[in-house]
Amino acid sequence: QVQLVESGGGLVQPGGSLRLSCAASGDTFSHYAMGWFRQAPGKEREFVALIGWSNSYTRYVDSVKGRFTISRDNAKNTVTLQMNTLKSEDTAVYYCAVKRGAPVTNALQYDYWGQGTQVTVSS
C-alpha cells in the first residue's frame, strides 16, 4: 500500500508559476514510477507528466512541454511538478499516482492515487 498526498495548488494569474508536491508513504518509494494527471470540469482525466525510478526518464503531454518539469527525490519520498507560464487551460484538479514497473501514460494502469489538488489559472 502506498499513500499519496498532493500539495501546492492554488489560484495563480496567467503566466505565473506553481510547484506541486506529492508526498508518498507506506512502501519503498523508489520502486514506483510516478505520474501526474489532471482533470478539468466536464473532461476526462488526462496524462500530464511521468517519471521513472530515477530522474533520467521523463515524459510530458505536448501541451505542457517546455513549461512543466517533473522531478523526484527518492530520499524524501516526494515527486514535484514545477509549472511555469501557466495558462487558463491548465486549470484542473491535479493528481499524482504511482505504479510498479515502467512508467506509462495510461491512468488505468496506475495503482495508487492521491486526493488531488486544485490549480486555477485566472486573472
Side-chain angles (χ1 to χ4, degrees):
Q1 287 279 352
V2 177
Q3 294 79 44
L4 302 171
V5 178
E6 301 100 334
S7 61
L11 173 63
V12 63
Q13 292 185 344
S17 298
L18 282 175
R19 185 178 180 88
L20 304 184
S21 293
C22 176
S25 61
D27 200 350
T28 304
F29 180 73
S30 60
H31 292 175
Y32 290 87
M34 306 289 296
W36 283 97
F37 297 81
R38 65 187 180 187
Q39 187 166 18
K43 295 186 177 181
E44 294 186 353
R45 190 169 298 188
E46 69 166 345
F47 162 75
V48 175
L50 60 79
I51 188 166
W53 301 316
S54 69
N55 284 301
S56 61
Y57 180 79
T58 59
R59 185 175 173 182
Y60 302 88
V61 67
D62 285 347
S63 61
V64 308
K65 285 181 180 177
R67 300 189 297 123
F68 290 12
T69 302
I70 188 172
S71 62
R72 67 190 293 164
D73 185 335
N74 289 334
K76 296 182 178 179
N77 288 359
T78 58
V79 62
T80 60
L81 185 68
Q82 178 66 44
M83 306 187 296
N84 299 327
T85 319
L86 283 161
K87 305 176 181 179
S88 58
E89 50 263 44
D90 295 318
T91 295
V93 178
Y94 283 70
Y95 300 88
C96 67
V98 301
K99 68 177 293 293
R100 285 189 176 271
V104 298
T105 62
N106 187 344
L108 296 177
Q109 296 189 37
Y110 282 75
D111 302 308
Y112 302 101
W113 292 80
Q115 82 288 351
T117 185
Q118 176 70 48
V119 172
T120 303
V121 184
S122 175
S123 56

